[in-house]
Amino acid sequence: MRKLEQSWPAEAAARYRARGYWRGETFTRVLRDRARERPDHVAVVGGGARWSFGELEARAERLARGFLARGLEPGDRVIVQLPNIPEFLTVVFALFRARLIPVFALPAHRLVEIAHFARTAQARGYVVAERHEGFDYRTLAQELLGEVPDIAHVVVVGDAGDFTGLEGLPQGGDIDLPEDADPSDVAFLQISGGSTGLSKLIPRTHDDYIYSFRASAEICKLTPSSVYLAALPVAHNFPMSSPGVFGALYAGSRVVLSPSPSPEAAFPLIERERVTITGLVPPLALLWLQAAPTTRHDLSSLEVLQVGGAKFLPESARRVKPVLGCTLQQVFGMAEGLVNYTRLDDPEEIIVSTQGRPISGDDEVLILDDAGQPVPEGEAGHLLTRGPYTIRAYHNNDGANARAFTPDGFYRTGDVVKRMPGGYLVVQGRAGDHINRAGEKISAEEIEDHLLAHPAVFDAAVVSLPDDYLGERSCAFIIPQGEKPKAAALKLFMRKRGLADFKVPDQIVFIEAFETTAVGKVSRKELRAGLRRRFLEKTEAEA
Ligand code: OOB
């Protein structure tokens, strides 16, 4: 079996075990333990399904045999691109049971992204839903096979068309399931927000990831009577593990999957299932705050609303309790590891004005100035971190590893933060050039590359602009070549290249030239900063 590398030095690993963070648990054992303790407790609700822990385990086991009987082999990587449907959980637990390695993609990803994940992970399998929000993933699968022939198996949840359906996998009755994974093995590959260039793959082990959601479930005080609503796309790290669906299942709670995070979809589920906790990105939280006062649905079961993924401004944060009647919890996390939470019993001022403090006493946090020196408490600096669930390296990416990690293993988050008394962090912004569009991270560089592929684009620079609803929106400054293209045509061009919709620039501004300094060329970073500054000054002057 091809094992993927994980990268904590032996000394750190031994310390994390000795301190009880890494307890030798695996995903398969966690599910088995819950299924034994409370076989009939409803674990997953979604679509028409209501599966108990016992049923979830039995389904996962059956599917695990099916995947292996189909020809996948332990160690193979399998891209999982599923919306919030209960099969997400059976598929993922089945892959763990069969020692296959899920690679998590979001439903919004398209050919460019999926092909990149498939190549980087050397994936052999791809699991999709037939369709979601009007998009047919079987067509995407077909295109993927044309680009990445190593994908030998496509499995479709729903009507499979020419592919194999989940229900149509061989029964595999005669297949022996492999021994359980070693807890220090890489369990899956998560994708990075992609701050520079293309998304990177993040190897997470059973030990480190299970620690992060077990501790998160404790911080969120989950019990078997809690009900967690997955409103955001469940393959994202926040609804997956902070405490997310895995933390909820760990605590023996119930997971409810909402097909969409909109109030129209989520509010009826909150009422029907008596949901106690859910997580949103700031723009959705604003939408909920707007919809709640006039809804006919009873939201009184909601005890905690988590908000994270992008900065939630104090003015909005202050409204959560009076409008929704529940406790706000701010969550500042990253797929690479470190997650910060405000605690449920923190004073209101901490809850509304900070992004929380780390999960673990062994999360090491450095806040450094440009010269790499620590800044005093209360002053802004670059956040670097190292700890029991923060990776030390990306999968197979020496270039990114050299940039993103210090020689002694700290991850450079790219975020600029202040540390307040008690270790609470306040996010100020970020040093890098990505756009945080409603929690979706977009790399300026990646989008510029796509724009440059258009024959009428001479040069392009993509920046973030403040946006009342999205937090940030993307704006592409373009120097045309020859006849000026239409903005709509450029957007269509990006979509046709197979780029996820959220990456298509929200705004396109044509300009004649980029400024250069007397020395000549400026860095892309300065160029983007200058364009953003001048654009904002100009719009302010016009207002
Ligand atoms: C979460 O994970 P990613 O990997 O999509 O994005 C991480 C980045 C952070 O480095 C930071 O720039 C930004 O997203 N971010 C926030 C934030 N939470 C994340 N910026 C300001 N305020 C916040 N509360 O987004 C993620 C992963 C796990 C839990 C929660 C969010």
Side-chain angles (χ1 to χ4, degrees):
M1 186 188 334
R2 298 175 303 168
K3 278 206 185 190
L4 300 183
E5 285 192 29
Q6 59 82 21
S7 45
W8 284 271
E11 167 279 316
R15 183 156 36 95
Y16 298 149
R17 287 198 186 94
R19 302 227 167 137
Y21 304 134
W22 296 1
R23 295 189 186 164
E25 296 172 299
T26 63
F27 277 90
T28 294
R29 254 190 55 196
V30 166
L31 182 58
R32 181 170 309 154
D33 287 351
R34 290 308 157 272
R36 292 214 175 125
E37 287 157 18
R38 44 188 78 247
D40 301 324
H41 185 94
V42 176
V44 187
V45 177
R50 284 187 97 70
W51 296 335
S52 65
F53 278 102
E55 201 171 349
L56 181 60
E57 194 200 19
R59 282 176 180 267
E61 185 128 333
R62 217 165 34 239
L63 267 182
R65 291 181 202 281
F67 282 126
L68 295 178
R70 186 77 172 78
L72 285 161
E73 290 170 19
D76 281 348
R77 268 76 79 186
V78 178
I79 298 178
V80 177
Q81 187 180 27
L82 293 174
N84 290 7
I85 53 177
E87 288 82 358
F88 178 92
L89 288 166
T90 41
V91 164
V92 170
F93 277 108
L95 295 174
F96 291 142
R97 184 67 192 88
R99 304 281 301 271
L100 297 161
I101 311 284
V103 182
F104 291 118
L106 296 171
H109 288 133
R110 293 294 177 260
L111 184 60
V112 166
E113 291 89 12
I114 303 293
H116 169 67
F117 305 148
R119 287 195 194 99
T120 320
Q122 296 172 296
R124 290 193 66 228
Y126 181 38
V127 184
V128 288
E130 163 199 340
R131 52 175 72 240
H132 174 63
E133 291 189 343
F135 182 76
D136 191 332
Y137 289 84
R138 294 163 301 188
T139 317
L140 178 53
Q142 206 66 59
E143 290 167 355
L144 181 70
L145 292 179
E147 291 235 345
V148 189
D150 288 348
I151 299 281
H153 307 282
V154 174
V155 177
V156 180
V157 182
D159 175 0
D162 295 338
F163 298 111
T164 307
L166 198 63
E167 304 300 326
L169 282 175
Q171 289 297 306
D174 52 344
I175 293 256
D176 285 333
L177 287 172
E179 273 188 16
D180 196 5
D182 188 296
S184 65
D185 286 349
V186 170
F188 61 86
L189 295 169
Q190 181 62 280
I191 52 170
S192 77
S195 48
T196 48
L198 298 168
S199 283
K200 295 168 284 279
L201 297 181
I202 297 173
R204 303 288 304 250
T205 63
H206 295 266
D207 268 333
D208 90 83
Y209 207 64
I210 292 175
Y211 166 51
S212 80
F213 62 72
R214 182 181 72 231
S216 297
E218 278 165 24
I219 288 170
C220 296
K221 302 194 188 332
L222 296 188
T223 70
S225 43
S226 307
V227 181
Y228 175 84
L229 179 77
L232 295 171
V234 65
H236 186 269
N237 206 54
F238 179 18
M240 183 179 275
S241 66
S242 305
V245 293
F246 287 140
L249 294 177
Y250 190 97
S253 317
R254 173 176 308 170
V255 166
V256 178
L257 296 154
S258 181
S260 142
S262 69
E264 293 72 29
F267 286 5
L269 286 173
I270 295 178
E271 175 176 85
R272 194 186 82 198
E273 301 295 331
R274 305 298 294 159
V275 168
T276 59
I277 172 167
T278 189
L280 296 174
V281 291
L284 286 167
L286 293 180
L287 207 63
W288 282 36
L289 287 172
Q290 198 178 40
T294 53
T295 183
R296 57 191 170 81
H297 293 288
D298 175 9
L299 308 180
S300 62
S301 59
L302 203 58
E303 293 165 10
V304 178
L305 176 68
Q306 305 180 287
V307 180
K311 175 100 174 200
F312 198 36
L313 296 174
E315 307 87 87
S316 311
R318 240 176 262 288
R319 293 172 50 213
V320 170
K321 186 164 238 154
V323 175
L324 286 166
C326 65
T327 302
L328 167 67
Q329 179 180 57
Q330 297 217 41
V331 188
F332 163 41
M334 51 210 72
E336 284 80 357
L338 182 71
V339 182
N340 303 275
Y341 295 100
T342 56
R343 304 308 197 253
L344 301 183
D345 52 4
D346 276 339
E348 186 69 7
E349 221 25 58
I350 296 269
I351 291 179
V352 300
S353 63
T354 81
Q355 278 64 58
R357 62 180 163 87
I359 292 179
S360 179
D362 275 86
D363 279 321
E364 299 171 67
V365 164
L366 297 177
I367 302 177
L368 306 179
D369 64 17
D370 288 339
Q373 293 307 308
V375 300
E377 190 171 89
E379 279 181 30
H382 303 281
L383 170 65
L384 285 79
T385 186
R386 185 168 80 166
Y389 59 97
T390 297
I391 57 161
R392 300 289 184 110
Y394 290 110
H395 171 66
N396 219 351
N397 195 335
D398 293 342
N401 287 337
R403 284 190 300 274
F405 298 89
T406 65
D408 51 0
F410 278 88
Y411 168 56
R412 300 180 213 272
T413 66
D415 294 316
V416 174
V417 308
K418 285 191 208 170
R419 183 176 13 213
M420 310 309 278
Y424 286 83
L425 302 179
V426 176
V427 181
Q428 299 294 111
R430 69 187 169 263
D433 273 329
H434 70 256
I435 296 115
N436 188 338
R437 186 184 190 274
E440 308 255 35
K441 319 304 182 307
I442 306 168
S443 145
E445 198 177 295
E446 183 189 356
I447 308 313
E448 289 163 3
D449 275 348
H450 284 285
L451 287 165
L452 286 168
H454 192 283
V457 173
F458 174 72
D459 203 354
V462 174
V463 307
S464 65
L465 295 178
D467 187 276
D468 285 346
Y469 175 61
L470 297 168
E472 293 177 7
R473 67 176 187 277
S474 61
C475 175
F477 291 92
I478 288 176
I479 307 178
Q481 172 163 264
E483 198 180 331
K484 192 171 95 181
K486 289 233 176 341
L490 275 179
K491 291 186 184 187
L492 187 63
F493 170 79
M494 307 278 276
R495 286 196 183 94
K496 283 210 174 133
R497 283 175 69 81
L499 199 65
D501 235 22
F502 68 85
K503 294 185 185 170
V504 175
D506 294 300
Q507 191 173 356
I508 292 181
V509 176
F510 293 99
I511 60 174
E512 271 173 25
F514 293 151
E515 255 177 45
T516 47
T517 58
V519 202
K521 226 170 124 56
V522 291
S523 76
R524 302 293 304 173
K525 199 173 161 55
E526 288 169 56
L527 170 68
R528 293 184 192 113
L531 283 165
R532 180 193 297 116
R533 199 174 46 241
R534 281 190 298 280
F535 184 85
L536 293 174
E537 280 164 8
K538 187 163 158 261
T539 35
E540 212 162 87
E542 285 166 3

